Amino acid sequence: MIQHIVLFGITKETSTEDLMQARNQLHALVGKIPGLVSLKADIDMGIEGNCRLGLVAHLTDRSALDVFSKDPDHLAVADYISGFRTSIAIIDYEVPD
């Protein structure tokens, strides 16, 4: 199993509605992309200095991560978020099943 964690820095001007739309689009990927077992995304509690949006996804294996990274639905959500993102940090690692 692969755990995929992403943290997004977001512009201060970005509305909560835009962040909720991003969260909903991310959640909608589950069931559409082969090998994507789960994905939880949410908005930060509002603590100064924190990233404002983050996600944790679980994928079956490395090949599923490769499929996920190139999937058109995933790329569409990534493109939407890039419209208000200032930074991104990603880590992928194996976890026991």
Side-chain angles (χ1 to χ4, degrees):
M1 182 84 60
I2 302 294
Q3 187 155 326
H4 173 71
I5 299 173
V6 184
L7 300 173
F8 300 97
I10 302 294
T11 65
K12 290 185 179 197
E13 301 78 27
T14 303
S15 68
T16 299
E17 291 78 21
D18 284 336
L19 293 173
M20 290 173 61
Q21 177 67 18
R23 179 192 64 192
N24 294 342
Q25 288 181 23
L26 288 163
H27 287 168
L29 296 175
V30 178
K32 287 185 177 180
I33 302 174
L36 178 59
V37 176
S38 67
L39 188 151
K40 301 287 185 193
D42 223 323
I43 303 164
D44 183 68
M45 297 169 39
I47 298 171
E48 185 66 30
N50 282 6
C51 291
R52 288 188 55 208
L53 180 67
L55 71 87
V56 177
H58 292 98
L59 298 110
T60 54
D61 54 27
R62 178 63 189 258
S63 64
L65 179 62
D66 293 339
V67 168
F68 176 77
S69 68
K70 297 172 188 163
D71 183 86
D73 290 321
H74 170 245
L75 294 176
V77 177
D79 186 53
Y80 176 73
I81 294 170
S82 72
F84 47 80
R85 138 176 99 75
T86 59
S87 64
I88 187 170
I90 303 169
I91 185 169
D92 299 301
Y93 54 89
E94 289 188 53
V95 294
D97 291 339

